[in-house]
Amino acid sequence: MALTLPKSDFSARIAKELALRPGQVQTTATLLSEGATIPFLARYRKEATGSLDEVAIAKVRDRLQQLGELESRREAILKSLKERDHHTEELGRAITNAETLNALEDLYAPFRPKRRTRATIAKERGLEALANFLLNQQGSGSNPKTEAANYINPELEVPDVESALGGARNIIAEQVSDDPQIRREVRRIFETDGVIVSKVIKKKEADPDAAKFRDYFDWSEKLKSIPSHRLLAMRRGEKEGFLRVQIEIPNERGFRTAEREFVTANDACGHQVTLAAEDGCKRLLFPSMETEMRTISRRQADEDAVRVFAENLRELLLASPLGQKRVLALDPGFRTGCKTVCLDAQGQLLTHDVIHIIGSPEKLAESASRLTKLVQQYKIEAIAIGNGTASRETESFVKELGLPGSPPVVMVNESGASIYSASEVARKEFPNHDVTVRGAASIGRRLMDP
C-alpha cells in the first residue's frame, strides 16, 4: 500500500531528527507515496535515496505517518473549535505549534465535547459563578458558605450550602484535570516515578489456572524499567481475570502540582479549591494518565516482544542448517566430470578429485569405488551436490551407490559459486588450486552454513 503523504512538507524536520539530507527524505517520501516498498528502495533505488538502508527508510516512513496523523488531528481540532466558537488567536497559535499528539490533546482537553459529567451538571444548576468565586480566593474576608447560600435552589437540585459548594468543586476539579500544564507535569511523574502494581483477585488465588501467574500475586515495579515479558505476563493475567493491575504514583506529588497552579491563598476559599484540586487529580486526572500510560507501556512492550522474537528468529534462520559435519561436495558436470572435494567439520579442504557419471562401465565402476573410498577415508557425514548442469544425474548416481553410513544427499544452490571461485578472496585461500576446486569447496560450505 502506498504511503499517503502529509499535506505539509516535513522533509527538513525529519532530516534533522534522523541526521539525513532533506533531499534524501523528500525523494524517499515521494517513492513511498508512489507505491515503492522498503526492500525495493533499499536494493534498487540507492542512487535516488542516497544509499539509505532499509532501517533508515523505515524510520522515514514511520515518521511521515506520525507527522501525518498529527497534522490530521490538528486540523480536526481547529475545525471543531471554530465550529463551536471556542477558537481564539492564542489557542490557535498554541495548537499550531504543538509538536506531539499528547501536547495537542492536552490543549484540546478543556474544549473537547464531553458526556454529562458532574461538572456539566453543576454548570446546568448555575454553579459556575460560585466556582469562579472560589477560584478568585479574595482573602480571609471572603466566606464561601455565605456566598454559596446565594445559589441554593431546590428546583435545580441544590438544596443546601454543601450541595452548592460540592457542585462548584466539581467544576474546579474538571478544570484541574483539563489543565494542559498540570497534565504535562503529572504525565512526567507517571513516566519517571510510576509503579506498576499487580495483585491477585480475591477468591482466584486457589484457582489451578492462576498458578502460572503466582509470581505476580503481589508484585510492584517501576514502570519505566519493567522488562516487556513481565509487563505482558501481568496484562495476560489481568485479561484472564486472575490479577488486578494498576499504575500508581506518589499522590502527594500530583496533588502539589495541581495546588501550585490553582491554590493562591491560605483562606477558606483556598481550602475549597484544595479539596477540588485533590478530587480532580484522584478522580479524573490520575485515572486518565494511568490509561494513557497503560496504552503506551503496552505498545512498547509489544514492540520489545516483537523485536526479541525477530532477533531470535534471525539467529534461528542464520544458524548453520547442517552444522559442523564432514562434507563431500560435488560440482556436477558431464564432459569434464564432477569436481569432488572433502571438507572437515570446520570447512577446511582435505582433498579433491574428479569422478565421472557418464562413460564406459569400467569408468563408472572406478568412479563409484573412488567415491566410496573417499566417504570411508574421511568419515563423510553429508554429501552436497550443486544444482547446476547434470545435478539430477549426479544425485541419482550417488544415491544408487549405497555409500557406507548412508550420508544424506542434499541439493545446494550454487548461484554465485563461480564468482567466488574466481575472486581474490578464493585465490588467497586456495592459492594452489584452480577455480573448479574452489567452486566445489564453496558448494560444500554452503550446505554447512550458507
Side-chain angles (χ1 to χ4, degrees), residues 77-93 95-96 111:
I77 287 174
L78 289 171
K79 181 180 178 182
S80 173
L81 291 171
K82 289 174 182 177
E83 288 176 349
R84 294 182 294 116
D85 294 328
H86 292 310
H87 186 273
T88 64
E89 185 176 340
E90 183 180 357
L91 178 60
R93 188 163 49 249
I95 289 174
T96 300
F111 310 99

Side-chain angles (χ1 to χ4, degrees), residues 122-308:
K123 289 176 182 178
E124 291 169 2
R125 293 173 179 172
L127 297 173
E128 190 167 10
L130 177 58
N132 291 334
F133 172 83
L134 297 178
L135 283 170
N136 286 334
Q137 301 165 70
Q138 297 172 355
S140 58
S142 60
N143 189 323
K145 292 187 178 181
T146 302
E147 182 68 20
N150 298 325
Y151 295 87
I152 294 175
N153 188 339
E155 292 181 3
L156 294 177
E157 300 183 36
V158 187
D160 51 37
V161 166
E162 285 306 318
S163 298
L165 289 174
R169 288 198 300 269
N170 287 334
I171 294 172
I172 297 171
E174 191 169 274
Q175 291 180 22
V176 169
S177 176
D178 289 342
D179 185 273
Q181 178 65 27
I182 295 174
R183 291 183 70 86
R184 278 195 296 272
E185 292 188 23
V186 171
R187 181 182 291 112
R188 194 176 300 116
I189 294 172
F190 268 89
E191 290 171 344
T192 58
D193 297 313
V195 174
I196 187 163
V197 179
S198 171
K199 294 186 181 296
V200 66
I201 292 177
K202 291 181 180 179
K203 300 181 181 179
K204 291 295 184 80
E205 190 171 0
D207 192 316
D209 292 332
K212 56 188 174 184
F213 303 111
R214 189 168 300 281
D215 289 345
Y216 307 109
F217 280 5
D218 188 11
W219 184 270
S220 64
E221 188 169 357
K222 275 287 190 75
L223 180 64
K224 67 178 182 181
S225 59
I226 185 172
S228 60
H229 68 273
R230 208 138 58 215
L231 178 63
L232 291 174
M234 290 183 187
R235 299 294 194 212
R236 193 162 56 250
E238 182 182 39
K239 185 177 181 180
E240 293 182 19
F242 300 112
L243 302 176
R244 180 177 289 104
V245 179
Q246 293 178 299
I247 300 174
E248 300 176 352
I249 63 168
N251 284 352
E252 289 302 321
R253 285 189 60 192
F255 294 159
R256 286 198 300 272
T257 298
E259 289 164 7
R260 280 197 304 269
E261 183 80 15
F262 277 79
V263 181
T264 59
N266 185 19
D267 60 5
C269 287
H271 175 68
Q272 292 291 323
V273 175
T274 299
L275 295 176
E278 293 182 358
D279 176 55
C281 288
K282 190 180 297 185
R283 180 169 55 84
L284 301 172
L285 181 55
F286 293 172
S288 173
M289 285 295 112
E290 181 183 5
T291 300
E292 187 177 304
M293 289 299 111
R294 285 170 70 96
T295 301
I296 292 171
S297 63
R298 183 169 60 246
R299 183 169 63 245
Q300 291 174 341
D302 286 341
E303 290 173 355
D304 286 345
V306 170
R307 179 181 52 78
V308 171

Side-chain angles (χ1 to χ4, degrees), residues 227-436:
S228 60
H229 68 273
R230 208 138 58 215
L231 178 63
L232 291 174
M234 290 183 187
R235 299 294 194 212
R236 193 162 56 250
E238 182 182 39
K239 185 177 181 180
E240 293 182 19
F242 300 112
L243 302 176
R244 180 177 289 104
V245 179
Q246 293 178 299
I247 300 174
E248 300 176 352
I249 63 168
N251 284 352
E252 289 302 321
R253 285 189 60 192
F255 294 159
R256 286 198 300 272
T257 298
E259 289 164 7
R260 280 197 304 269
E261 183 80 15
F262 277 79
V263 181
T264 59
N266 185 19
D267 60 5
C269 287
H271 175 68
Q272 292 291 323
V273 175
T274 299
L275 295 176
E278 293 182 358
D279 176 55
C281 288
K282 190 180 297 185
R283 180 169 55 84
L284 301 172
L285 181 55
F286 293 172
S288 173
M289 285 295 112
E290 181 183 5
T291 300
E292 187 177 304
M293 289 299 111
R294 285 170 70 96
T295 301
I296 292 171
S297 63
R298 183 169 60 246
R299 183 169 63 245
Q300 291 174 341
D302 286 341
E303 290 173 355
D304 286 345
V306 170
R307 179 181 52 78
V308 171
F309 178 81
E311 289 174 355
N312 291 341
L313 179 61
R314 177 181 173 82
E315 293 301 320
L316 182 63
L317 293 175
L318 291 177
S320 305
L322 183 66
Q324 293 188 326
K325 295 183 183 296
R326 293 177 292 278
V327 172
L328 183 147
L330 296 126
D331 187 358
F334 285 125
R335 184 176 58 83
T336 57
C338 300
K339 280 64 71 179
T340 306
V341 298
C342 293
L343 306 174
D344 67 13
Q346 285 71 45
Q348 299 301 312
L349 179 65
L350 299 174
T351 189
H352 62 91
D353 201 345
V354 176
I355 65 168
H356 295 269
I357 59 171
I358 58 173
S360 64
E362 293 78 9
K363 197 171 207 179
L364 293 178
E366 181 187 356
S367 293
S369 173
R370 287 161 63 185
L371 196 62
T372 302
K373 286 180 181 178
L374 288 174
V375 170
Q376 289 176 324
Q377 180 179 353
Y378 294 102
K379 300 178 181 178
I380 297 301
E381 297 173 276
I383 296 176
I385 300 175
N387 66 344
T389 304
S391 59
R392 292 300 176 193
E393 292 80 359
T394 304
E395 181 184 27
S396 298
F397 177 80
V398 172
K399 285 185 174 180
E400 290 172 0
L401 294 179
L403 294 171
S406 301
V409 179
V410 183
M411 298 294 288
V412 176
N413 189 332
E414 62 178 40
S415 297
S418 58
I419 297 174
Y420 162 77
S421 64
S423 69
E424 184 179 352
V425 172
R427 287 196 300 274
K428 287 182 178 179
E429 186 173 9
F430 301 108
N432 301 319
H433 301 288
D434 65 15
V435 293
T436 61

Side-chain angles (χ1 to χ4, degrees), residues 108-121:
Y108 185 49
F111 310 99
R112 184 185 294 111
K114 298 180 176 68
R115 57 182 175 79
R116 283 185 89 232
T117 62
R118 295 185 189 182
T120 55
I121 293 171

